[in-house]
Structure formats: structure tokens, C-alpha cells
Amino acid sequence: MEQKRTSIYENGLIWFGAGVSIAEIITGTYFAPLGFGKGLLAVITGHIIGCFMLFLAGLIGGRTRKSAMETVKMSFGSKGGIFFSLLNVLQLVGWTAIMIYDGALAANSIFGAGKWIWCLVIGGLIILWILIGIKNLGKINTVAMAALFILTLILCKVIFFDGSELPISEESMSFGAAVELSAAMPLSWLPLISDYTRDAEKPLAATAVSAIVYGIISCWMYAIGMGAAIFTAESDIAQIMVKAGLGIAGLLIVVFSTVTTTFLDAYSAGISGESILSKLKGKWVAVAAAVIGTVGAVLFNMDDITDFLYLIGSVFAPMIAVQIADHFILKKDSSDKSFDIISCIVWVIGFILYRFLMTKDIPVGNTLPDMAATIVICVIAKNSLQAQAKKQK
């Protein structure tokens, strides 16, 4: 029986849903001290960097028809890939909890029934999305995305046309740090985009559309958050919706944007779980991730996610840099090995370099120079090893 493939349109819808996110709006509020013009430039610059890497990561999975964590094994070996699968499951469960937490707080600000109740509502809807399945969500996603699109347009009108620019505080964030915070969001999707592009009818086109759609929508969400802080002096997006009289419409934005984004995190946690242990059923691992995330959202405070974003960047940026070097430049596949020691060593170097560069103020952020350096080190190290092996023969 021929496997059902996802269309370019369906892939675009998936990543539209990923981009429409309360977490991204909240992150956008951090850019307000830069002013709207400079802040928007930082947002766009960071997203160009992050989404180009997102495209390359997705293309590897689309070409090989492998999930994100299975493509990692091509660079780090079968057991080396398990290490990153474990890290990925942890970060995806963390994201699930953060997204449910943010969504529940915002929903409770609009319709106060108790944060924990909204955590349960959102968590329950995410589980429903998982049980329906990625390949059966086409019509549901179309309706949800159309509603979210209209409601975010209304939100933009409230912020940018009904508000007026207010004095901003002194800059508390450098331009380079802002670029990095902007790049961090698309980078957080690197370890899972292949979970969706592997099933695409046209991998190249679907991957390009996924990265472009996500980049545009994510920039839009950042701009909404930044605009809210600058033009209304309000960083709580739910309160802006309440003041604008959106009421139920605002509640729908919050709940469905949280569900459509967080579903991807939980779903990919399931796929990564299968990479760790083939006996595991991805759907039920995803359900477990949603349940754990819901419990975490109820129990813990998750107001500031900047350190979490930077940690994700430091782990997965050098990882994908090694993959890019192997797949596009060296044409190497180490999935038949337990460990590719050179790849593991290069990743450690890239991780340390990323953490070091975080202490420096670089105009383009530290992701781009870190990944460029990691790719160069990987190519030099593996070519040198190959040349040495030929001499010994």
C-alpha cells in the first residue's frame, strides 16, 4: 500500500501553526527597549539565520525520508544519535510544558476559571490533536489557521493602529543579543522539522515553504509582542485582548495557537522516542509527553524562557552544523557505526564555542559564527582523518 504523503500546502499549514504562538509574542516583548525599527531589524536578521538552518535540517530529512533523530544517527552513529534523541525528548517535553503554561496564563487572564483548569483544557486538546494524527489534520488545521489568521489581523489593528508609540526605557539588550534571541526560536525547531518533511510529496519545495512560512509568521508574532510593549505599554498580550474587547475571540487565539504549536512538540517527542527504542509507539510517547507537560505547567513557574532558548541553541546549533557538513559537503553516512568519534568531538567543541561566544557582543549573534566554525572544523578534521587513513594503506 502506497504511503500517504503530505502536500506543500499541508506542510505550509503545519508551520503556520508552529509560528502562531503566545510564546513567540511574549519573547517579542523583550525587544521593546531597542525601539521598533531596530528591534524589527534584529528580529528579521535572526530569523533569516535561523530559518536558513531550519531549511537545511529539513532538507536532510526530506531527501533521506528519515525522521529528525534518525538523520542525526547519519552523523553521530546509531548510539551517538540516541544521546541527542534523549536531549530532544527532554527539550520537547520542556517546550510542551512552557507552551501550555503560557497559554493557560493568557487564557485565564481573559476568562478566569483558574490556571490549572486551562492547563487541563489545552493539554486535553493537544492529546486530541495527537490521536487524530498529523496526516488527518488537514481540514481541521485549515479551519483553525483561517480563524487564527483573522484574529491576529484584528490584534495587529488594535496594537498598531489604535495605540500610539510611547517612550521606551534605556536599551537593556544589545543588538547582537536580540539577533541571537530571534534566531533561537527557529533553532528550537531544528531537531524536529525532518519529522514532517520526511513525509512530503515534494521534499525540496515542502521544506522551503515550511521554513519560509514559519519565518514570516514567527517574525509577525515577534512584531506583535514588540509592538504591544511599545505602542500600548502592555507586555501581557491577554490584557491587550481584553482591553480591545476581543473576549471569546481572544480566548480562541490563545487556546488554538497554543494547541497547534504545542502539538508539534509532543508529536515529535513521540517520534524521537521511537529513535531511542524501536519498540516504543510514537503516538503513546507523544501522549505521555503531553501529559507530563500538562502536569509541569500546573506545578511549576515558567515565566522566563530566555535561558532555555539559549541552552537549546548551544546544544542543537553545533549538532546540525555537523550534519550539514556531513550531508552537503562530505557526503558521509555514519549510521552503520555505534559512534562517530570525530563528530562527537567536533560537537563538544561547537558547544563550548557557543557558550563562549554568548559572552561576546557580536552583531549577527553567536549562532552563525558558531555554526560556520563548527562546519569548518568538521570538514577539516574528517578530511584530515581520511587522508591519514589513505597514507597508512
Side-chain angles (χ1 to χ4, degrees):
M1 186 177 177
E2 188 176 346
Q3 184 178 354
K4 183 181 177 182
R5 300 287 183 188
T6 53
S7 67
I8 294 172
Y9 173 72
E10 286 172 325
N11 277 270
L13 274 183
I14 288 168
W15 290 95
F16 183 103
V20 180
S21 161
I22 292 296
E24 305 212 11
I25 293 174
I26 292 170
T27 305
T29 63
Y30 303 152
F31 289 65
L34 292 174
F36 194 80
K38 194 174 179 181
L40 187 60
L41 179 61
V43 167
I44 293 171
T45 303
H47 275 77
I48 289 172
I49 294 168
C51 288
F52 180 65
M53 303 306 170
L54 189 68
F55 167 75
L56 293 177
L59 189 57
I60 295 172
R63 281 179 167 182
T64 60
R65 297 298 186 189
K66 292 183 177 182
S67 69
M69 290 298 108
E70 289 299 313
T71 67
V72 173
K73 293 178 181 179
M74 293 166 59
S75 287
F76 294 92
S78 58
K79 292 184 178 177
I82 289 174
F83 168 73
F84 289 102
S85 295
L86 286 167
L87 292 179
N88 195 36
V89 170
L90 289 174
Q91 74 109 357
L92 289 172
V93 171
W95 264 121
T96 301
I98 288 167
M99 297 299 294
I100 293 172
Y101 177 87
D102 286 341
L105 278 184
N108 196 53
S109 293
I110 297 170
F111 191 84
K115 190 200 80 173
W116 69 273
I117 290 178
W118 286 113
C119 285
L120 295 179
V121 169
I122 293 170
L125 286 171
I126 291 165
I127 291 171
L128 177 63
W129 248 244
I130 292 167
L131 295 177
I132 291 171
I134 192 74
K135 294 174 186 175
N136 299 313
L137 280 170
K139 290 182 180 178
I140 295 174
N141 267 349
T142 299
V143 174
M145 292 308 106
L148 289 174
F149 179 71
I150 293 169
L151 293 172
T152 49
L153 286 178
I154 296 170
L155 192 57
C156 283
K157 178 188 178 297
V158 172
I159 292 168
F160 295 106
F161 295 96
D162 296 346
S164 58
E165 188 164 0
L166 301 168
I168 56 174
S169 60
E170 293 295 316
E171 287 189 21
S172 57
M173 178 187 292
S174 69
F175 184 81
V179 169
E180 188 57 32
L181 192 57
S182 175
M185 200 63 84
L187 285 176
S188 71
W189 294 106
L190 285 181
L192 57 91
I193 184 173
S194 290
D195 296 343
Y196 308 97
T197 57
R198 67 171 179 167
D199 292 324
E201 288 175 352
K202 299 176 180 178
L204 177 61
T207 305
V209 166
S210 298
I212 291 169
V213 168
Y214 173 76
I216 291 171
I217 299 304
S218 182
C219 285
W220 185 12
M221 295 301 106
Y222 270 67
I224 287 175
M226 182 169 57
I230 293 173
F231 292 93
T232 69
E234 178 64 73
S235 58
D236 185 344
I237 203 69
Q239 287 305 309
I240 294 173
M241 294 178 190
V242 170
K243 290 174 183 176
L246 290 180
I248 297 299
L251 188 64
L252 289 174
I253 293 176
V254 169
V255 171
F256 281 102
S257 66
T258 303
V259 170
T260 57
T261 304
T262 315
F263 157 74
L264 300 180
D265 294 317
Y267 181 83
S268 282
I271 295 174
S272 293
E274 290 178 341
S275 292
I276 297 168
L277 190 62
S278 59
K279 292 181 181 179
L280 292 174
K281 294 293 184 184
K283 178 182 284 188
W284 300 113
V285 175
V287 169
V291 171
I292 294 168
T294 302
V295 172
V298 171
L299 297 179
F300 301 107
N301 186 306
M302 303 177 190
D303 289 330
D304 189 351
I305 64 169
T306 52
D307 289 339
F308 180 68
L309 285 172
Y310 289 139
L311 180 61
I312 290 171
S314 63
V315 170
F316 293 111
M319 181 197 80
I320 195 62
V322 173
Q323 288 185 258
I324 290 169
D326 278 347
H327 185 82
F328 294 103
I329 302 172
L330 298 169
K331 315 292 184 185
K332 290 183 178 292
D333 186 346
S334 298
S335 52
D336 58 339
K337 301 178 182 178
S338 292
F339 290 96
D340 188 310
I341 301 301
I342 298 300
S343 290
C344 293
I345 292 171
V346 171
W347 174 80
V348 170
I349 294 170
F351 176 84
I352 294 170
L353 179 60
Y354 188 104
R355 304 304 293 186
F356 170 74
L357 291 174
M358 282 180 62
T359 65
K360 308 299 176 184
D361 186 19
I362 304 170
V364 294
N366 49 287
T367 294
L368 187 61
D370 176 74
M371 291 186 71
T374 304
I375 290 170
V376 170
I377 293 168
C378 186
V379 171
I380 292 173
K382 293 193 174 183
N383 280 339
S384 299
L385 187 67
Q386 188 175 15
Q388 189 177 4
K390 286 181 179 178
K391 284 181 181 180
Q392 289 176 350
K393 288 181 180 179

